[in-house]
Amino acid sequence: MTTVPLPTADTRWRCALCGNLTRFDVTRSSKVIEYVHLDLAGESKVEEREVVSETIESVRCRWCNAVDQIELVDRPGAGS
């Protein structure tokens, strides 16, 4: 399993196989701290959420189903 880096303000994901830039299935693991508010009826609502750590396990292209073919490329106008 290859770790896929997150896109930044200057980069975005692209499928190296088909060129897709817009549709991906992302599998991620997260460790979070949540402040949960329960009303008197017992219904819960998350009012605050802090992500302690997050790892992207895989990114699959929705167009061609390629896995481990996702790369980071520059966004249009990045660095201008």
Side-chain angles (χ1 to χ4, degrees):
M1 175 172 50
T2 305
T3 302
V4 179
L6 281 170
T8 66
D10 296 325
T11 62
R12 62 182 177 174
W13 284 331
R14 178 183 178 276
C15 178
L17 200 60
C18 73
N20 171 30
L21 293 166
T22 60
R23 303 286 191 266
F24 303 96
D25 289 318
V26 179
T27 303
R28 66 179 82 214
S29 295
S30 300
K31 182 176 181 180
V32 299
I33 299 172
E34 294 179 334
Y35 171 64
V36 178
H37 178 212
L38 300 171
D39 65 18
L40 294 177
E43 296 294 322
S44 65
K45 178 180 178 184
V46 176
E47 293 189 352
E48 294 176 14
R49 184 174 193 255
E50 176 188 346
V51 178
V52 177
S53 65
E54 184 172 60
T55 303
I56 295 180
E57 296 177 3
S58 70
V59 180
R60 182 176 61 86
C61 176
R62 267 288 175 115
W63 288 2
C64 70
N65 285 325
V67 180
D68 298 332
Q69 294 292 321
I70 308 306
E71 60 188 3
L72 282 180
V73 295
D74 290 336
R75 290 181 191 256
S80 300

